[in-house]
Amino acid sequence: MGKKVIAIKNVDEKLYRRFKALATLKGLSLGEAFNQALSLWINISERVEVAECLAVEEEARANRQVYEELIDELLEKHRNKYVAIAKGRFLGVFESREEAFNVVKKLKPRHAIVTRVEPKKLRVIELGMSLFEVLE
Amino acid sequence: MKIPYSMGEEPPVPVLTLRVYSPGGDKNLVLTFRVDTGFAGGITLPYDIYLRLGLTLAEEPYPVIGRFVTGSTVKLYRAYTKVELEGKTVFYVYAYSSPYIAKKLVGREFLNKLILLLNGPQKTLEILDNSGLKKNISTTSTS
């Protein structure tokens, strides 16, 4: 594989410092880490329409904000019911997930929250080794 | 039922073929998932498939943190959806995804509902007994 020395303008200093620190932590040279970052970026960009992802994320942020604002009240009054939030609007309290989703569908959003009203813990899940590949 | 290992890689890998539904049940895709007992969740989907199935329309409010064995983490979105095995047994599991996830995995949240035999020498995965699943609907915790 050919190796090349390149200089890049306008690199965000903060991002670069974090990148360098993480590369050091992982025991990678800057070049190795940069190559991994390039591969990952290309891989993602080829598979997913970036503009679509950003549009989904924008709606998701608005929906999550609404949920955050309402959660205490919902827990107090509607525990174990289902709620729907889409297009940055609270759509109501429902008896079932299906009922909630049917209301979401009519709005044709890119993103929606359909969830049971219950205390949510920050959950960490293990990802298996299958997400890694051994390159020889 | 015996499912041959995927021979597309070396060594061959056990796989399960599942029909994954959109939240409204109007769309579905038949997909082959790599069996991964190291993955704690239900299934992972590449983000393009997650979008295609409309799973962003029934998401949980908070993303979960996926932790790799190296300790690094990734934010994962998740939606509760219907998955069908062998065209008859229906499960409800969380589908996890992120633009950084490229592989389809089936993890313990799903595998622990089944009796499976990984027959390495014959390179087949065998679903031994579904009698406990005869009622056809099995749900997981929604927390």
Side-chain angles (χ1 to χ4, degrees), chain A residues 44 47 57 64 68 97 109-112 114-116 118 120 123-130 133, chain B residues 24 34 36 40 47 56-57 59-62 65 67 69 77-78 80 96 99-101 103 108 142-143:
Chain A
I44 292 165
R47 278 186 293 113
E57 188 51 35
R64 287 182 202 129
E68 275 287 312
R97 222 175 256 281
R110 285 195 166 92
H111 178 274
V114 174
T115 190
R116 191 156 78 171
E118 60 192 353
K120 309 268 183 199
R123 200 171 158 213
V124 178
I125 62 162
E126 300 160 51
L127 295 171
M129 280 300 287
S130 295
E133 276 172 18
Chain B
R34 173 197 273 254
D36 186 347
Y47 200 63
T56 56
L57 301 182
E59 260 185 14
E60 286 294 315
Y62 302 120
I65 306 296
R67 187 169 51 210
V69 284
Y77 304 109
R78 63 175 179 154
Y80 197 60
Y96 297 80
Y100 299 100
I101 299 290
K103 291 188 177 173
R108 297 198 302 273
T142 59
S143 61

Side-chain angles (χ1 to χ4, degrees), chain B:
Chain B
M1 184 194 188
K2 288 183 181 180
I3 303 158
Y5 281 15
S6 164
M7 307 300 272
E9 52 194 297
E10 190 55 44
V13 59
V15 292
L16 268 181
T17 301
L18 303 170
R19 185 181 296 274
V20 184
Y21 286 84
S22 60
D26 52 335
K27 286 184 258 181
N28 66 72
L29 289 171
V30 176
L31 303 164
T32 299
F33 292 82
R34 173 197 273 254
V35 171
D36 186 347
T37 57
F39 169 47
I43 55 173
T44 61
L45 291 171
Y47 200 63
D48 57 330
I49 295 177
Y50 188 80
L51 285 175
R52 215 181 324 152
L53 282 170
L55 290 163
T56 56
L57 301 182
E59 260 185 14
E60 286 294 315
Y62 302 120
V64 299
I65 306 296
R67 187 169 51 210
F68 293 102
V69 284
T70 56
S72 50
T73 56
V74 63
K75 197 161 69 172
L76 293 174
Y77 304 109
R78 63 175 179 154
Y80 197 60
T81 199
K82 186 169 111 173
V83 167
E84 199 177 84
L85 172 72
E86 299 178 274
K88 52 179 192 260
T89 313
V90 173
F91 300 88
Y92 288 89
V93 293
Y94 279 111
Y96 297 80
S97 189
S98 135
Y100 299 100
I101 299 290
K103 291 188 177 173
K104 300 182 285 291
L105 306 182
V106 54
R108 297 198 302 273
E109 193 183 308
F110 185 90
L111 297 170
N112 285 352
K113 298 170 190 293
L114 304 170
I115 303 170
L116 298 172
L117 172 69
L118 298 183
N119 189 334
Q122 280 190 14
K123 297 186 179 53
T124 56
L125 176 151
E126 197 172 340
I127 301 167
L128 287 181
D129 178 15
N130 267 346
S131 58
L133 307 168
K134 275 283 168 355
K135 60 181 179 175
N136 274 358
I137 297 286
S138 173
T139 57
T140 59
S141 155
T142 59
S143 61

Side-chain angles (χ1 to χ4, degrees), chain A residues 9-82:
Chain A
K9 279 186 186 173
N10 297 323
V11 173
D12 183 296
E13 206 182 329
K14 252 189 185 167
L15 275 179
Y16 177 69
R17 263 197 250 121
R18 283 180 64 193
F19 178 72
K20 199 172 160 187
L22 279 170
T24 310
L25 272 175
K26 289 170 188 249
L28 298 171
S29 71
L30 269 184
E32 287 167 335
F34 187 65
N35 286 337
Q36 284 187 5
L38 287 180
S39 302
L40 188 63
W41 188 86
I42 291 167
N43 195 335
I44 292 165
S45 304
E46 281 175 349
R47 278 186 293 113
V48 180
E49 183 60 54
V50 176
E52 176 64 13
C53 269
L54 292 175
V56 170
E57 188 51 35
E58 197 177 319
E59 282 197 26
R61 260 200 299 269
N63 293 337
R64 287 182 202 129
Q65 194 181 332
V66 171
Y67 179 84
E68 275 287 312
E69 286 164 8
L70 294 175
I71 186 58
D72 289 341
E73 190 185 336
L74 290 171
L75 277 171
E76 197 180 315
K77 296 180 181 163
H78 304 290
R79 199 176 273 246
N80 294 326
K81 304 270 186 197
Y82 292 86

